[in-house]
Amino acid sequence: MTDTATPKTTAAKGRREGRIAQFLHATEIDTRLLGMIGALLLIWVGFHFFGLYKNGFGAFLTPRNLWNLSVQTSSIGIMATGMVLVIVTRNIDLSVGSILGFCAILMGVLQVKILPQYLGIGHPAIWMLAVLAGIIVGSLVGGFQGVLIAYGKIPAFIVTLGGLLVWRGAAFLVARGETISPVDSTFALLGGGPYGAVGSTGSWIVGLIACAAIIYFVISGRARRQRFGFHVRPIWAEYVMGALACGIVIGAVLLVNAYPWPIGIVRQYAEANNIVLPESGLFISHGFAIPILILVGVGLAMTVLMTRTRFGRYVFAIGGNPEAAKLAGINTQWMTVKIFALMGGLAGLSAVVASARLGSATNALGTLDELYVIAAAVIGGTSLAGGVGTIYGAILGAFVMQSLQTGMVLVGFDAAMQQIIVGSVLVLAVYLDNQYRARAK
Amino acid sequence: MTDKSKQTPLVDLRNISISFGGIKAVDGVSLDLYPGEVVGLLGHNGAGKSTLSKILSGAYEADSGEIWINGKRADIRSPRDARDHNIETIYQTLALADNLDAASNLFLGRELVNRWGMVDDSRMESETRKIMARLNPNFKKLKEPVSALSGGQRQSVAIARAVYFNARILIMDEPTAALGVHETAMVADLIKELKSQGLGIFLISHDTREMMELCDRVSVMKNGQLIGTENVADVTEDDILSMIIMGKNPRAEVA
Ligand SMILES: Nc1ncnc2c1ncn2[C@@H]1O[C@H](COP(=O)(O)OP(=O)(O)O)[C@@H](O)[C@H]1O
Ligand SMILES: [Mg+2]
C-alpha cells in the first residue's frame, strides 16, 4: 500500500545508517507515521507515569481509559478525515462544529418530537431516519457553502466563518435553546456506552476479518507489483509488516475485551435476561464501541476515496496545482462543492455520534470542534499549503489531541492549563513537521 | 505548399480575438494547420502566442472568431472539449501537479481504472515506464513527486502526456525551453516522427534557427496581431527576424 499519490516520506534515510535504517528502508514504513505513533505512545506513557508519581496511580494505560479515549476521539476523528480534503485543496472549514450542532438539534427534534407522532416511540425506523436526515442536512449545508466558495468566489475562510455563526444561531432557533432528550434508545447505541459496543465475540469477529483483510492486501499487493515487474519488498519485510498490523489489531481486541461492564449494568442486564448472578459477579466485556467502529469504517472509506479513486486523485491535483488541474479537464469548482458537501455530511455523522453519546441534543454541541478538527488534520501532517495529507494521519492527529485532553483531566490540570498545552502542542507539531519535511527532501 | 489548398485543414482558426481587461491579447488572428504539417508561431514575449494556443486547447474561450476542425465548426469551451477533438497541449508552464508523480500527471483527468472503477496505479506506472523509455531513456524517478525532478525531466513528463493519447493536433508551447542540447535534439526528432505520422503541430519557440529547421510554415505575431505567415522554404532567417522585430511583413510589400 505504498503506491499512493501522496509524496513518499521514506527518504530520511542516509543520515542514520545501520540496522534501523535498513529495516525502515526494506519495510518501506512511512517514518512520519512512525513518528506520530511514537509521539502518541509517549503521551500515553508520560501521562500514565505522571499520574503514578503525582496521584499514586497511573490511570491512563488502563483498558477503561483507552476504551473511553477511543469513544471520545470518534467525533473529532470522523470530521478530521473530511478536513484533510478541504485543507489539501487549499481551503479551510471553520463551520464544522456549528454544522454538527445544527444537525444534532435537528435530529433530536426529529426523533423526539416529530417522528414518534407518526411512528410511535421506539419504532425501529426512527433512528435510521434521524441518522439519514442528519447526514443529508449536513451535506446540503456543506454543499451550499461549497457553492458560495466555488461559484460565488468568496474565500472559504469567510464563507465558513459566516457559517460558524449562522449554523450555531440556527441550531438555537430550531428548539429555542432547549435541550432535547432522551434520544431514541437505538440511536443512543451509536454513541457507545456498555450497550453501544459489540462485545467480546463481536470484537473477535471484527478483529479476525481485519487480519484476513490485511493478509489479503499484503499478498495481492505483492502479486500485483510482481506482475508488472516492479520492485517488491523482501519477503521477510512482508511478513514483518503483516504480523505487525495483525498484532496491532489483535492487541486492540484484547484491550477492549479486557474492559468489563460496570457491576450496575451487569445487574441490570442479568435482571432483564433472568440470569442468576454468581457470587463473583460476571465479566462481560465491552468490546469495540460502535463509534470507534464508525470512525474506522469512515477512515477506510475515505482512504480508498483518496488513494484509489479519480475523485481523490483530483483532490491532490487541485491542491498541488489548481491551474494544472483545470487544464487537465478537471471541473475544479464542482469538485470544491463536492468536497465541502462531504465535509458537511461527515459533520452530520459526527453529530450522530456526539449526540448519541450525550443521550441528548443541545444547540451548543460541537462548540470549538472546528479548531480541534483542523488541529487534528494539521498535526496529522496535512499541509496548509495544500497538496499533502493523509487520512490515517488525521485520525492519529485526533487521537493525539484527545489523548492530551484526557490525560490532563486525569492528572488534574485545570482548564486554563489544558488550553495552554493544547495550543502549544499544535504549534510545536507543525514546527516539527516542517523540520521533518525539509530534511526528507 | 499550393497543393494544400485543396485539402481540408486540420485546424482553421478564423478571426480569433480575446482581451483581458482592455488589452487585446489576440486580435483578429486567422491561422490554419494541415495534417503532417508543423506551423511555427513566433513573436516577442507578450505577443499573444500562448493565449492563442490556449484558445485552441480550451483553456480560454475566445471573445470572437471561429474554430474549425477537419472542416467542421468546433465548439471548444473547455480542455475536455479540446481533448475530444484529439487536441493535446504542452503548456509553457507545463501544467504539472507538483505533488503527484509522473504517472499521475501523465494520466491526470484520464486515469486508467480497473473493473471496480478504482484508479489502476500499477498499470499507469507501467504505461508511463514504456513511454518514458521511448522519450527519455534516462528518466528513472517514476515514483517521486514531479517537484523532485529537474526542469528537463518535468518537461519530458509534459511531452509524454501530450504524445501518449494519440493526438491528431499537437500544440507545443516552448517545449524545449528548459532542455539541454541533447534533449532538445530528442524533441526535434520526436517532432519529425510525429509529423511523419500525419499529426498537425503548432510549435511555439524563440529559436528561429530551430523553427526554420522544423517548421513548414511560420507565423509571426506582435501585440496580439498576426504579422504574416510564410512558407519556410520561401524566406530567410533574416526575413523572419525582421518580421518579429519590425512587426511588418517585408514580402507583403514586394508582392
Ligand atoms: N490570464 C490573463 N489575464 C490577463 N492578461 C493576460 C492573461 N494571459 C495573457 N495575458 C496578456 O496577454 C498578452 C499575451 O500574452 P501571451 O499569450 O502569454 O504572450 P506570449 O506567449 O506570446 O509571450 C500579454 O500582454 C499578457 O500579459
Ligand atoms: Mg508564451
Side-chain angles (χ1 to χ4, degrees):
Chain A
M1 263 155 271
T2 52
D3 49 351
T4 62
T6 48
K8 295 302 167 301
T9 40
T10 43
K13 57 189 184 272
R15 262 163 215 281
R16 287 160 290 140
E17 298 299 327
R19 273 162 190 268
I20 297 175
Q22 274 173 18
F23 175 81
L24 290 177
H25 185 54
T27 50
E28 295 173 14
I29 290 179
D30 179 352
T31 47
R32 197 184 179 288
L33 171 66
L34 218 54
M36 283 202 61
I37 294 175
L40 191 60
L41 291 179
L42 201 68
I43 291 170
W44 289 7
V45 172
F47 276 119
H48 189 78
F49 284 99
F50 189 79
L52 200 61
Y53 160 78
K54 191 165 164 257
N55 309 329
F57 63 96
F60 204 102
L61 292 174
T62 61
R64 175 193 152 102
N65 183 56
L66 293 177
W67 189 91
N68 279 320
L69 180 69
S70 78
V71 174
Q72 288 158 352
T73 305
S74 301
S75 171
I76 298 288
I78 290 168
M79 290 192 281
T81 64
M83 193 60 81
V84 173
L85 278 68
V86 172
I87 297 179
V88 163
T89 50
R90 308 183 182 192
N91 282 317
I92 197 77
D93 192 339
L94 299 172
S95 69
V96 293
S98 297
I99 296 180
L100 188 157
F102 181 60
C103 291
I105 206 84
L106 277 184
M107 287 187 291
V109 170
L110 193 65
Q111 62 187 299
V112 174
K113 299 201 165 156
I114 299 174
L115 288 176
Q117 284 181 20
Y118 300 96
L119 300 171
I121 288 180
H123 191 282
I126 288 182
W127 75 271
M128 288 187 246
L129 289 173
V131 169
L132 208 62
I135 294 172
I136 289 173
V137 169
S139 309
L140 289 176
V141 168
F144 172 64
Q145 296 186 148
V147 168
L148 294 180
I149 293 159
Y151 295 97
K153 307 236 186 303
I154 313 169
F157 186 90
I158 299 301
V159 170
T160 60
L161 182 60
L164 168 85
L165 297 168
V166 168
W167 307 117
R168 186 62 69 196
F172 181 91
L173 288 185
V174 170
R176 302 260 24 136
E178 254 181 82
T179 297
I180 312 286
S181 71
V183 296
D184 177 81
S185 59
T186 315
F187 183 90
L189 300 183
L190 301 175
Y195 294 123
V198 296
S200 168
T201 317
S203 300
W204 277 115
I205 292 172
V206 169
L208 292 179
I209 290 174
C211 288
I214 288 165
I215 294 166
Y216 169 80
F217 280 115
V218 168
I219 294 173
S220 73
R222 189 179 175 82
R224 188 162 41 94
R225 297 193 66 76
Q226 270 170 339
R227 183 150 42 88
F228 283 98
F230 296 165
H231 159 81
V232 287
R233 289 193 277 229
I235 192 80
W236 65 263
E238 304 276 18
Y239 278 119
V240 168
M241 293 304 286
L244 209 60
C246 291
I248 290 170
V249 169
I250 290 172
V253 173
L254 291 173
L255 180 79
V256 293
N257 282 350
Y259 176 36
W261 281 7
I263 185 67
I265 301 282
V266 173
R267 269 202 209 100
Q268 192 186 50
Y269 174 81
E271 257 167 49
N273 292 282
N274 293 321
I275 302 170
V276 186
L277 266 190
E279 205 49 39
S280 55
L282 265 180
F283 189 97
I284 302 178
S285 300
H286 276 78
F288 287 117
I290 289 174
I292 190 70
L293 293 181
I294 295 176
L295 173 59
V296 170
V298 167
L300 288 176
M302 294 292 282
T303 301
V304 170
L305 184 73
M306 282 295 262
T307 60
R308 289 273 164 270
T309 68
R310 286 193 165 146
F311 181 87
R313 189 59 45 89
Y314 299 165
V315 168
F316 282 115
I318 292 170
N321 186 345
E323 197 55 39
K326 239 182 259 168
L327 292 175
I330 297 168
N331 188 339
T332 54
Q333 289 173 311
W334 185 231
M335 281 290 297
T336 301
V337 174
K338 288 198 271 190
I339 290 165
F340 276 90
L342 180 59
M343 178 73 256
L346 288 169
L349 183 59
S350 288
V352 172
V353 169
S355 62
R357 188 159 88 83
L358 208 61
S360 62
T362 73
N363 59 294
L365 205 62
T367 304
L368 286 186
D369 272 8
E370 55 281 342
L371 299 184
Y372 290 105
V373 169
I374 293 166
V378 169
I379 287 179
T382 309
S383 161
L384 285 166
V388 179
T390 58
I391 300 297
Y392 65 75
I395 293 177
L396 273 173
F399 269 100
V400 168
M401 297 292 297
Q402 191 57 49
S403 299
L404 280 174
Q405 202 84 347
T406 306
M408 290 187 293
V409 171
L410 281 181
V411 300
F413 284 6
D414 57 25
M417 200 62 202
Q418 291 177 26
Q419 287 174 331
I420 290 172
I421 291 183
V422 168
S424 312
V425 165
L426 173 64
V427 175
L428 182 71
V430 173
Y431 173 75
L432 290 178
D433 191 45
N434 285 346
Q435 297 296 308
Y436 173 83
R437 278 183 216 284
R439 271 180 189 224
K441 272 207 174 135
Chain B
M1 313 240 151
T2 43
D3 57 322
K4 287 215 164 115
S5 58
K6 289 177 212 118
Q7 264 180 281
T8 319
L10 203 50
V11 180
D12 191 1
L13 300 173
R14 298 184 186 169
N15 221 359
I16 303 283
S17 296
I18 189 171
S19 343
F20 296 108
I23 297 172
K24 288 206 159 182
V26 176
D27 189 1
V29 173
S30 297
L31 267 187
D32 54 9
L33 176 70
Y34 289 86
E37 188 187 34
V38 180
V39 170
L41 269 179
L42 284 157
H44 287 306
N45 278 333
K49 309 178 298 288
S50 294
T51 306
L52 179 65
S53 70
K54 279 185 169 181
I55 289 171
L56 181 57
S57 70
Y60 296 145
E61 238 183 291
D63 296 337
S64 64
E66 296 173 1
I67 303 174
W68 291 66
I69 307 280
N70 277 323
K72 283 199 208 93
R73 177 86 189 262
D75 191 23
I76 297 178
R77 293 163 179 276
S78 72
R80 254 175 217 284
D81 294 341
R83 285 178 170 185
D84 290 344
H85 284 98
N86 295 309
I87 300 169
E88 294 289 334
T89 311
I90 299 160
Y91 292 98
Q92 187 172 8
T93 54
L94 301 186
L96 299 174
D98 278 334
N99 55 336
L100 301 182
D101 61 16
S104 302
N105 270 292
L106 204 157
F107 287 96
L108 192 58
R110 291 180 278 198
E111 289 73 13
L112 301 178
V113 292
N114 63 21
R115 70 197 113 122
W116 298 291
M118 301 277 151
V119 293
D120 194 340
D121 281 314
S122 303
R123 201 148 61 86
M124 290 194 279
E125 186 182 337
S126 158
E127 289 296 301
T128 307
R129 259 173 222 275
K130 279 186 220 154
I131 184 136
M132 292 318 277
R134 182 156 83 87
L135 296 179
N136 186 354
N138 299 324
F139 192 93
K140 289 285 170 333
K141 292 184 174 171
L142 274 139
K143 302 294 288 174
E144 312 257 340
V146 296
S147 60
L149 305 183
S150 71
Q153 290 168 328
R154 291 162 58 82
Q155 198 114 33
S156 2
V157 175
I159 293 175
R161 171 162 64 184
V163 172
Y164 179 83
F165 293 95
N166 299 320
R168 300 207 44 230
I169 300 154
L170 195 55
I171 303 164
M172 305 174 96
D173 195 350
E174 311 205 13
T176 56
L179 301 185
V181 182
H182 178 64
E183 289 161 311
T184 302
M186 280 174 45
V187 171
D189 289 341
L190 177 69
I191 290 175
K192 286 174 196 158
E193 186 194 326
L194 296 172
K195 173 180 152 76
S196 72
Q197 292 170 9
L199 273 77
I201 300 174
F202 279 121
L203 177 63
I204 300 174
S205 168
H206 284 292
D207 185 339
T208 328
R209 185 154 308 149
E210 180 188 59
M211 294 290 256
M212 297 290 284
E213 189 202 322
L214 291 173
C215 300
D216 299 291
R217 289 184 292 154
V218 289
S219 296
V220 176
M221 287 181 72
K222 185 164 187 167
N223 297 332
Q225 288 173 331
L226 183 69
I227 303 303
T229 302
E230 294 296 336
N231 286 327
V232 167
D234 305 343
V235 289
T236 64
E237 201 180 326
D238 283 344
D239 291 337
I240 302 291
L241 283 173
S242 74
M243 276 169 82
I244 296 171
I245 295 163
M246 319 268 279
K248 272 192 287 208
N249 190 347
R251 292 172 46 84
E253 281 156 34
V254 177

